[in-house]
Each structure stands twice: as structure tokens, then as C-alpha cells.
Amino acid sequence: MELRQLQYFVKVARKQHMTQAAEELHVAQSAVSRQIRQLEEELGVQLFVQKGRNLQLTSAGRLFLSRAEDILNDLDRAVIEIQEFLDPEAGEIRVGFPHSVSMSILPSFISCFRQDHPNVKFRLRQGTYTSLIRDVMDGVIDLAIVSPCPESHEHVKGEVMLTEELFAVLPPSHPLAESVSIRLEQLREEPFVLFGEQYSLRPIVMNACQQAGFVPKIEFEGDETDTIRGLVAAGMGVSLLPELALRYSTLIEPAVVKIMDPKVTRTVGVIRRKGEKLPLVTDIFRQFLLEFKPSRAD
């Protein structure tokens, strides 16, 4: 069994299409087909079945895929470890971020870290709370910044970086827009603009509204902070957003007001796989994240 066969098999399994896999691998389709056929002959099982224009994994194929991915991930980590052994300052950091962090403080993280580690490369991956945890578990990335930071998880270890406050975000013309602070209950009758159900910020807002004695009337949903800010600024409703998501300017700005009752916060943390040693430069970056305190001017 050759390494190339595993690489070709994993690519075909992910793309579910021989031609598309060959294009991404920059080889002829016949070469991919030949390697997959040889792999099946060596294993003595059929790994794929044709389903329409796509290829579908068999039961044996699904079993073999998880092992093949583990092998390739282990190989990637081994190469990184050797590179770091030769030059700890020339390694690669694989890290994931949610949208609110990548738009606000990610540039500060990387810029400050590279001042002392100029040769380190970053492989960045953006995702939702659930997808980032899954990517860490699967070895696609080594670290992820997530919110809220999981207090206990079977497969990942979370460490809190910071706790941030959520603010009421209102249309500029709203009667409460000039207030120093408000009670969340004062927004009881307002239409809300929230993230979709797959985003971790949504249950935080829903729980806060419940504490204030009401269920928010959700009229619009968005997938990005800019969308929610824009809809609120255009008068489509109100929302709650964390401080990090309000650190940069957009074309049209909503009013931002402090919530005094109940106080709404969320934790932001860094996660990694449990029971697994991080590559040296990645662990240095993890410690940097835990110690880094961005100023409001960043």
C-alpha cells in the first residue's frame, strides 16, 4: 500500500467524484482510477459504488476513510514536528476562528505574534461553533477560538481567554438609542434580528431574554455580524451583539447601548484535542492567545 493511494482515496471520498478529485490533485483521471482500483484489490473490498454521476462510499469504504484520514493527519503532524525540530520558528499553525473574532481581533493576534515569530506560517479556517469543534476533533486544525468556551467536553479541552459583555444594538432613530444603559425588558415588544440556530450566540440571547421575562419576536436571521448590524441600522429590528463584534466600523452604524439588567456575557476560549501534544510553535501560539489582551483601540 502506497501513500499516494491513501491520498487519492481520501480526495475521491471527499469529492465523491473521480474527475473533480483528479483536477484538485493535478493528475489524470486514469491515474486516480488506477490507484483506487489497486487499493481495492490489495484490500480485497470494494470502496466505492456508482450513484448517478457521483461515487458513494461502501460500508467498508467509510470504515477505511476514517483510518486513512488519521494516517494522513498523523503524517502531516510528523512533518511539522520535523520542520520545527530543524527550525522551531518556521513551523505552521493550523487554527480556526468564528466570524466575529476573525473580523475584529484576528489581525491583532497574528500581527503581534509575528513580531516575535516572523517566519511562522498560518493556515486559517473559519467556521461556526459546531464546525470548529469538529475540525479540532478530526485533526483538520490544531487550535480553534470559540465562544462560549466549553466547560467540559469529551474530546476537546477549552481554556478561557476572556469574558466579554453583550450590548443592545438599536436603530439610530430608536427612542432608547441615546440612553446610557437600558434594561433588556424594555425591548420586549421589539422585533429582533438574530443569528441562525446553528450559531452559539443565539441561545445566549434567547436565555437572556427569558431571564428578562419574555421571548423575543425574531423577524430576521443572519449568518454574519455585518448583516445583523446592517439590518438593525436600517431599522429592521434590534439585537444583542458581543463587544468583539462591535470593535470595527461599517458603512451604516447602529446605536450601541449597555444592558444593565440582566448583564449578558459570553466566554471566548481556545480549544485543542484532549490528551494530545501540540506542535511546539502551535503551543507557543496557544499560550500567546491566553495571555494576549487586545486594547479597545486595536
Side-chain angles (χ1 to χ4, degrees):
M1 189 177 299
E2 299 179 5
L3 177 61
R4 183 188 299 110
Q5 292 174 333
L6 296 181
Q7 293 170 330
Y8 286 11
F9 164 71
V10 169
K11 182 64 71 174
V12 172
R14 289 174 177 169
K15 303 303 294 185
Q16 297 184 343
H17 200 282
M18 197 74 72
T19 302
Q20 293 178 10
E23 289 174 353
E24 287 203 6
L25 291 164
H26 304 292
V27 298
Q29 180 180 329
S30 58
V32 178
S33 299
R34 183 170 59 255
Q35 293 295 334
I36 296 298
R37 186 170 59 254
Q38 291 175 355
L39 182 59
E40 289 179 325
E41 290 174 356
E42 186 170 346
L43 293 172
V45 295
Q46 187 176 3
L47 297 172
F48 296 98
V49 292
Q50 193 76 36
K51 188 174 182 180
R53 295 185 177 182
N54 293 332
L55 292 173
Q56 190 175 63
L57 286 167
T58 63
S59 297
R62 288 193 295 273
L63 176 64
F64 189 66
L65 176 62
S66 71
R67 298 302 185 189
E69 288 179 325
D70 287 344
I71 291 170
L72 294 179
N73 285 331
D74 285 344
L75 180 60
D76 285 344
R77 283 194 288 272
V79 171
I80 291 172
E81 288 175 358
I82 291 299
Q83 291 172 341
E84 290 179 347
F85 176 79
L86 297 174
D87 183 0
E89 292 299 314
E92 179 181 74
I93 298 172
R94 305 183 304 167
V95 60
F97 293 86
H99 181 266
S100 61
V101 170
S102 65
M103 290 296 291
S104 53
I105 57 176
L106 172 59
S108 296
F109 285 156
I110 294 180
S111 176
C112 291
F113 186 77
R114 283 175 63 88
Q115 289 178 13
D116 294 327
H117 309 275
N119 297 321
V120 171
K121 297 181 178 65
F122 282 85
R123 189 190 302 180
L124 305 176
R125 189 177 183 91
Q126 185 172 301
T128 63
Y129 181 81
T130 302
S131 69
L132 290 172
I133 289 181
R134 183 176 63 249
D135 288 342
V136 169
M137 289 169 53
D138 292 344
V140 177
I141 52 180
D142 295 310
L143 294 176
I145 292 179
V146 296
S147 177
C149 182
E151 295 181 4
S152 62
H153 192 283
E154 183 179 358
H155 301 292
V156 301
K157 178 180 180 180
E159 298 171 281
V160 175
M161 295 166 50
L162 58 94
T163 299
E164 62 171 342
E165 194 170 348
L166 270 68
F167 291 83
V169 185
L170 312 175
S173 59
H174 194 280
L176 298 174
E178 300 296 326
S179 302
V180 175
S181 63
I182 63 170
R183 301 184 313 278
L184 187 54
E185 190 273 338
Q186 292 176 263
L187 302 180
R188 173 190 293 273
E189 302 301 326
E190 302 286 347
F192 272 72
V193 184
L194 296 182
F195 280 98
E197 293 183 354
Q198 70 271 33
Y199 292 90
S200 61
L201 193 59
R202 173 138 170 172
I204 295 177
V205 176
M206 297 297 287
N207 289 338
C209 291
Q210 278 191 330
Q211 288 182 50
F214 70 97
V215 176
K217 297 181 292 185
I218 303 170
E219 296 216 359
F220 294 93
E221 293 185 356
D223 291 331
E224 294 189 351
T225 304
D226 286 351
T227 302
I228 292 176
R229 289 175 61 168
L231 288 171
V232 171
M236 300 299 180
V238 302
S239 191
L240 271 64
L241 288 175
E243 184 177 1
L244 288 180
L246 300 168
R247 294 169 65 98
Y248 61 94
S249 299
T250 55
L251 291 177
I252 53 175
E253 287 291 318
V256 178
V257 180
K258 186 179 183 67
I259 302 171
M260 62 179 179
D261 182 34
K263 186 174 182 180
V264 190
T265 62
R266 71 167 184 172
T267 56
V268 178
V270 59
I271 60 171
R272 54 188 166 120
R273 285 179 297 282
K274 274 187 177 178
E276 190 168 309
K277 183 180 178 182
L278 289 171
L280 176 59
V281 71
T282 304
D283 196 46
I284 293 173
F285 184 64
R286 178 190 66 82
Q287 295 175 45
F288 167 82
L289 290 177
L290 295 174
E291 297 169 0
F292 188 77
K293 303 298 180 189
S295 68
R296 293 190 60 88
D298 286 339

